[in-house]
Amino acid sequence: MEIMEKIVSLCKRRGIIFPGSEIYEGITGFWDYGPVGVEMKNNLKREWWKYMVYGREDVVGLDAAIVMNPKVWEASGHVKSFVDPLVECKICHQRFRSDKKSEIDAHEKLHKDEKVDWTEPKMFNILTEVYLGVTEPKQKAYLRGEITQGVFVNFRNVVDSTRVKIPFGIAQIGKAFRNEITPGNFTYRSREFEQMELEYFIKPNEEEGKRWFSKWKETRLEWYKSLGINEKNLRFRDHEVDERAHYARFATDIEYMAPFGWSEFEGIHHRGDWDLSRHKLTYKDSETGEEYTPWVIETSGGVDRAFLFFLIDSYREEEKRIFLKLHPKLAPVKAAVFPLVRNKENIVAKAKDVYKMLKSHFVTAFDDRGNIGKRYLAQDEIGTPYCVTIDYQTLEDGTVTIRDRDTTKQERIKIDELVGTVSKVL
Ligand code: GAP
């Protein structure tokens, strides 16, 4: 089985990701995160927020509405320019984005001996329309195609209501929607997805622009590395002039070596004064009185893509088990507690006590089904760093066995030492 099939199957089996609306044959480009997946997704977003907002003194947060006045999207250029070029294979009538060369090449290979003839590219706007109100004519609006515009339209509100001074950033995490022509590669290209973005406002100056652009590139790469992604699977790729978004003066992607090839999971964009000038917003320096339109350096990551790449990167197969070598900070469950046997009341009661105690510190699972080996395998598959077993000896001396996910080695420690041992890796 190909690695992607294995990951999709693991996600379904362990409650990580389910196909959207599955009992009604699904819906292309939409995915649901299960009980395990939502924990990992929240961890990912929390780590990002800690690093990008709490870890700095020059960034504040925001949570803007998904639906905005459509004038926002006209001003930002998305109504006119948020388009993808669609081509159709004249042999099998499948549709593709002509700017995704690797996908075009892969399709041409499928037809082996036949020479693929493509239709001329047609441009399609990928903003998702919604209609508001109950009486006709309903008001046409859009689900946001990037979370970014919510930051720009609140630029003045943030400046006036906080103590931020240029250079400073506004961070946001939230859902975005795109009517993608070719959703695919599991969650990689979805129609509903989440973004985690920073808009960093600087003085309009070429040197400042270059300095902050390269600083943010490195800072963002560091974040992925700090959460354990294998450096060899990461690279920067500068955008060619003709692939840059309409708002970008220049752009670089952070790419991951996915099973389907090098793939973008975060874009660093120099947006210049494109957005603020479109929204007619300026900044006045309170000390010098100087008024200008700031430039923006943006870091725009996909939560779902990062999630997928952390899964792929941590996926391990050994002779007798599959496990996710996730950074403990990302692991959905931090510890699992097992009673060695389920028919000894005092062992089960002790295990429940330990479970409740750990649960008040971090996400903890309790499992008394089947044999202990199967319980280990189930936790390994969702990347739980530690499994704790309560046995006969626990009742005598208050010690338990603690098993390390990566080495499978077991150690005996006191119940009192459990919280400290697990917390150390978080
Ligand atoms: N505000 C800038 C912006 O939206 P982008 O490069 O179009 O830039 C940023 O998107 C990130 O959002 C991408 O790097 C990717 O991680 C994520 N993303 C974009 N389209 C996506 C899709 N259809 N499905 C999942 N994630 C997507």
Side-chain angles (χ1 to χ4, degrees), residues 82 145-148 178 180 187-195 197 199 247 253 264-267 269 271 298 300-305:
F82 202 42
E146 59 168 1
I147 63 170
T148 332
R178 293 183 189 175
E180 293 286 358
T187 55
Y188 178 77
R189 194 177 300 130
S190 308
R191 288 180 167 146
E192 173 178 339
F193 54 95
E194 260 182 299
Q195 295 185 309
E197 289 194 341
E199 306 306 320
Y247 49 72
D253 286 340
E264 167 194 354
F265 69 140
E266 172 147 347
H269 307 126
R271 295 178 78 122
E298 169 185 72
S300 178
V303 176
D304 310 80
R305 286 190 187 175

Side-chain angles (χ1 to χ4, degrees), residues 103-331:
E103 291 168 32
I104 295 280
D105 289 349
H107 187 72
E108 289 186 345
K109 273 196 196 124
L110 273 183
H111 284 293
K112 284 183 193 145
D113 311 326
E114 284 170 293
K115 184 171 167 0
V116 176
D117 211 3
W118 296 99
T119 59
E120 280 302 306
K122 254 195 203 165
M123 298 311 254
F124 279 88
N125 192 294
I126 57 171
L127 281 177
T128 314
E129 293 172 6
V130 281
Y131 291 86
L132 308 174
V134 287
T135 51
E136 298 291 347
K138 291 183 182 168
Q139 187 197 350
K140 180 169 132 181
Y142 303 99
L143 298 179
R144 59 186 177 190
E146 59 168 1
I147 63 170
T148 332
Q149 295 304 322
V151 168
F152 295 133
V153 299
N154 280 293
F155 176 75
R156 190 173 296 141
N157 285 336
V158 173
V159 170
D160 290 349
S161 62
T162 67
R163 296 170 53 207
V164 291
K165 283 211 170 72
I166 288 213
F168 74 92
I170 304 180
Q172 186 176 212
I173 299 179
K175 293 261 184 178
F177 301 81
R178 293 183 189 175
N179 229 335
E180 293 286 358
I181 297 167
T182 51
N185 286 328
F186 197 20
T187 55
Y188 178 77
R189 194 177 300 130
S190 308
R191 288 180 167 146
E192 173 178 339
F193 54 95
E194 260 182 299
Q195 295 185 309
M196 36 194 186
E197 289 194 341
L198 173 78
E199 306 306 320
Y200 199 77
F201 301 93
I202 59 169
K203 281 194 165 179
N205 170 300
E206 291 296 343
E207 281 314 306
E208 281 283 279
K210 277 191 204 136
R211 190 165 70 81
W212 281 108
F213 189 80
S214 70
K215 215 173 157 120
W216 278 115
K217 267 174 59 177
E218 296 305 329
T219 306
R220 292 303 306 140
L221 194 73
E222 270 314 305
W223 183 72
Y224 290 105
K225 290 200 271 184
S226 74
L227 288 173
I229 276 212
N230 184 347
E231 266 186 79
K232 284 198 202 124
N233 292 332
L234 295 175
R235 72 170 190 193
F236 288 120
R237 191 184 66 83
D238 291 340
H239 279 207
E240 303 290 335
V241 178
D242 61 356
E243 64 172 321
R244 281 180 205 154
H246 61 276
Y247 49 72
R249 286 165 65 108
F250 44 92
T252 298
D253 286 340
I254 301 180
E255 292 191 330
Y256 179 76
M257 184 64 225
F260 41 87
W262 283 104
S263 309
E264 167 194 354
F265 69 140
E266 172 147 347
I268 320 289
H269 307 126
H270 187 327
R271 295 178 78 122
D273 67 359
W274 170 269
D275 304 270
L276 290 186
S277 63
R278 284 286 180 126
H279 297 306
K280 300 189 172 49
L281 291 163
T282 55
Y283 172 84
K284 192 165 180 182
D285 189 308
S286 57
E287 276 157 31
T288 63
E290 190 192 354
E291 187 167 350
Y292 56 88
T293 308
W295 283 1
V296 175
I297 306 298
E298 169 185 72
T299 74
S300 178
V303 176
D304 310 80
R305 286 190 187 175
F307 187 109
L308 179 62
F309 294 154
F310 276 114
L311 272 188
I312 294 171
D313 209 66
S314 65
Y315 184 87
R316 302 280 188 284
E317 276 179 357
E318 284 176 357
E319 201 187 327
K320 290 199 175 128
R321 64 172 189 149
I322 288 170
F323 71 109
L324 296 183
K325 199 172 176 186
L326 282 172
H327 193 294
K329 285 182 176 166
L330 296 182

